[in-house]
Amino acid sequence: MTEQTDVFPVADTDLSRLRDRLGAAAERGGLLDVAYRTVDTPVGRLLLAATERGLVRVAFESEGFDGVLQALADRVSPNILRAPARLDAVAAQLDDYFAGRRRAFDVPLDFRLSTGFRQTVQQYLPHIGYGHTQSYKQVAESVGNPGAVRAVGTACATNPLPVVVPCHRVLRSDGSLGGYLGGAAAKTTLLRLESAA
């Protein structure tokens, strides 16, 4: 039971089913702009959010899911509901990725949370192959702006689609990890997963 249901006791599983039904009904009625769900992974629980264009956000629990959802409401649309079905394909591909059965993601992506050079860098990142890494400098050169090493770091640090858009494959020139939105442990886990395949 949750605190919200102390007056009218309802099992959490029943509440979850009710939320899912509301989300599905809103989607059928054209009232849902952003659908979200969470998935458990080896790098912790992830929040996935999608618009009708595609996956718009992947967030680590350390970012604070409530804050991430509020930011989506402010920047995309306040019509946000838990509606797992829209994200079933992404969740299945993440399962395959973490099980070592998938090396690339094949889902529509919505890059609307990034603009300009950041978006250019983020759209380049999937070109770094599974199991490979590049330095921030190499990425800057690859996107045609060799002097923008720091800006590449910022683009990686603000990547709204981590894991799926693999900013974890970008390292410092000396081979050290550099920063990562999900933390150093998560970046290490992803790199080890890919190097073990």
Side-chain angles (χ1 to χ4, degrees), residues 5 22 29 42 58 61 80 95 100 138 150 176 182:
T5 57
L22 287 171
V58 177
E61 196 161 18
I80 299 177
D95 280 347
Q138 288 173 313
R150 284 181 182 265
S176 61

PDB file of all heavy atoms in Angstrom, residues 5 22 29 42 58 61 80 95 100 138 150 176 182:
ATOM      1  N   THR A   5      -2.976   5.873  -0.632  1.00  0.00           N
ATOM      2  CA  THR A   5      -4.138   4.988  -0.628  1.00  0.00           C
ATOM      3  C   THR A   5      -4.492   4.529   0.782  1.00  0.00           C
ATOM      4  O   THR A   5      -5.210   3.562   0.959  1.00  0.00           O
ATOM      5  CB  THR A   5      -3.874   3.760  -1.503  1.00  0.00           C
ATOM      6  OG1 THR A   5      -2.707   3.100  -1.016  1.00  0.00           O
ATOM      7  CG2 THR A   5      -3.693   4.149  -2.957  1.00  0.00           C
ATOM      8  N   LEU A  22      -5.321   4.272 -17.987  1.00  0.00           N
ATOM      9  CA  LEU A  22      -5.563   5.699 -18.261  1.00  0.00           C
ATOM     10  C   LEU A  22      -4.635   6.185 -19.367  1.00  0.00           C
ATOM     11  O   LEU A  22      -5.058   6.933 -20.262  1.00  0.00           O
ATOM     12  CB  LEU A  22      -5.348   6.529 -16.994  1.00  0.00           C
ATOM     13  CG  LEU A  22      -6.427   6.414 -15.925  1.00  0.00           C
ATOM     14  CD1 LEU A  22      -5.992   7.114 -14.635  1.00  0.00           C
ATOM     15  CD2 LEU A  22      -7.741   7.005 -16.425  1.00  0.00           C
ATOM     16  N   GLY A  29      -7.302   8.349 -27.419  1.00  0.00           N
ATOM     17  CA  GLY A  29      -8.086   9.568 -27.612  1.00  0.00           C
ATOM     18  C   GLY A  29      -7.292  10.747 -28.143  1.00  0.00           C
ATOM     19  O   GLY A  29      -7.821  11.844 -28.258  1.00  0.00           O
ATOM     20  N   PRO A  42      21.049  -3.094 -15.668  1.00  0.00           N
ATOM     21  CA  PRO A  42      22.291  -3.221 -14.881  1.00  0.00           C
ATOM     22  C   PRO A  42      22.894  -1.874 -14.475  1.00  0.00           C
ATOM     23  O   PRO A  42      23.773  -1.842 -13.613  1.00  0.00           O
ATOM     24  CB  PRO A  42      23.230  -3.967 -15.837  1.00  0.00           C
ATOM     25  CG  PRO A  42      22.310  -4.755 -16.720  1.00  0.00           C
ATOM     26  CD  PRO A  42      21.122  -3.862 -16.923  1.00  0.00           C
ATOM     27  N   VAL A  58      15.921   9.572 -22.104  1.00  0.00           N
ATOM     28  CA  VAL A  58      16.318   8.445 -21.264  1.00  0.00           C
ATOM     29  C   VAL A  58      16.979   9.077 -20.051  1.00  0.00           C
ATOM     30  O   VAL A  58      17.898   9.887 -20.214  1.00  0.00           O
ATOM     31  CB  VAL A  58      17.320   7.508 -21.983  1.00  0.00           C
ATOM     32  CG1 VAL A  58      17.768   6.385 -21.048  1.00  0.00           C
ATOM     33  CG2 VAL A  58      16.706   6.939 -23.263  1.00  0.00           C
ATOM     34  N   GLU A  61      18.106   7.300 -12.714  1.00  0.00           N
ATOM     35  CA  GLU A  61      17.377   7.595 -11.484  1.00  0.00           C
ATOM     36  C   GLU A  61      18.058   8.720 -10.693  1.00  0.00           C
ATOM     37  O   GLU A  61      17.391   9.521 -10.028  1.00  0.00           O
ATOM     38  CB  GLU A  61      17.248   6.336 -10.626  1.00  0.00           C
ATOM     39  CG  GLU A  61      16.202   6.453  -9.547  1.00  0.00           C
ATOM     40  CD  GLU A  61      15.767   5.104  -9.010  1.00  0.00           C
ATOM     41  OE1 GLU A  61      16.491   4.114  -9.205  1.00  0.00           O
ATOM     42  OE2 GLU A  61      14.691   5.055  -8.396  1.00  0.00           O
ATOM     43  N   ILE A  80       1.499  14.440 -20.224  1.00  0.00           N
ATOM     44  CA  ILE A  80       2.418  13.323 -19.978  1.00  0.00           C
ATOM     45  C   ILE A  80       1.711  12.311 -19.095  1.00  0.00           C
ATOM     46  O   ILE A  80       1.129  12.670 -18.075  1.00  0.00           O
ATOM     47  CB  ILE A  80       3.687  13.800 -19.254  1.00  0.00           C
ATOM     48  CG1 ILE A  80       4.451  14.816 -20.093  1.00  0.00           C
ATOM     49  CG2 ILE A  80       4.583  12.619 -18.900  1.00  0.00           C
ATOM     50  CD1 ILE A  80       5.678  15.366 -19.407  1.00  0.00           C
ATOM     51  N   ASP A  95      16.588  -4.482 -23.191  1.00  0.00           N
ATOM     52  CA  ASP A  95      16.788  -5.826 -22.635  1.00  0.00           C
ATOM     53  C   ASP A  95      17.803  -6.598 -23.469  1.00  0.00           C
ATOM     54  O   ASP A  95      18.702  -7.246 -22.936  1.00  0.00           O
ATOM     55  CB  ASP A  95      15.466  -6.605 -22.601  1.00  0.00           C
ATOM     56  CG  ASP A  95      14.584  -6.219 -21.426  1.00  0.00           C
ATOM     57  OD1 ASP A  95      15.084  -5.545 -20.500  1.00  0.00           O
ATOM     58  OD2 ASP A  95      13.400  -6.595 -21.441  1.00  0.00           O
ATOM     59  N   GLY A 100      23.469  -8.581 -24.173  1.00  0.00           N
ATOM     60  CA  GLY A 100      24.524  -8.826 -25.164  1.00  0.00           C
ATOM     61  C   GLY A 100      24.013  -9.321 -26.500  1.00  0.00           C
ATOM     62  O   GLY A 100      24.791  -9.769 -27.340  1.00  0.00           O
ATOM     63  N   GLN A 138      38.621  13.427 -31.130  1.00  0.00           N
ATOM     64  CA  GLN A 138      38.272  12.706 -32.366  1.00  0.00           C
ATOM     65  C   GLN A 138      36.837  13.002 -32.787  1.00  0.00           C
ATOM     66  O   GLN A 138      36.552  13.144 -33.979  1.00  0.00           O
ATOM     67  CB  GLN A 138      38.471  11.201 -32.172  1.00  0.00           C
ATOM     68  CG  GLN A 138      39.925  10.770 -32.106  1.00  0.00           C
ATOM     69  CD  GLN A 138      40.072   9.303 -31.738  1.00  0.00           C
ATOM     70  OE1 GLN A 138      39.432   8.815 -30.802  1.00  0.00           O
ATOM     71  NE2 GLN A 138      40.919   8.597 -32.475  1.00  0.00           N
ATOM     72  N   ARG A 150      35.848  21.019 -26.001  1.00  0.00           N
ATOM     73  CA  ARG A 150      35.020  21.252 -24.799  1.00  0.00           C
ATOM     74  C   ARG A 150      33.527  21.205 -25.132  1.00  0.00           C
ATOM     75  O   ARG A 150      32.719  20.712 -24.355  1.00  0.00           O
ATOM     76  CB  ARG A 150      35.357  22.597 -24.168  1.00  0.00           C
ATOM     77  CG  ARG A 150      36.661  22.590 -23.404  1.00  0.00           C
ATOM     78  CD  ARG A 150      36.911  23.960 -22.771  1.00  0.00           C
ATOM     79  NE  ARG A 150      38.177  23.982 -22.079  1.00  0.00           N
ATOM     80  CZ  ARG A 150      38.306  23.753 -20.772  1.00  0.00           C
ATOM     81  NH1 ARG A 150      37.241  23.506 -20.053  1.00  0.00           N
ATOM     82  NH2 ARG A 150      39.489  23.783 -20.205  1.00  0.00           N
ATOM     83  N   SER A 176      41.124   8.000 -20.050  1.00  0.00           N
ATOM     84  CA  SER A 176      40.317   8.011 -18.825  1.00  0.00           C
ATOM     85  C   SER A 176      38.861   8.313 -19.171  1.00  0.00           C
ATOM     86  O   SER A 176      38.543   8.814 -20.254  1.00  0.00           O
ATOM     87  CB  SER A 176      40.857   9.015 -17.814  1.00  0.00           C
ATOM     88  OG  SER A 176      40.833  10.319 -18.347  1.00  0.00           O
ATOM     89  N   GLY A 182      25.170   9.487 -15.919  1.00  0.00           N
ATOM     90  CA  GLY A 182      24.744   8.414 -15.020  1.00  0.00           C
ATOM     91  C   GLY A 182      25.787   8.034 -13.992  1.00  0.00           C
ATOM     92  O   GLY A 182      25.566   7.111 -13.203  1.00  0.00           O
TER      93      GLY A 182
END
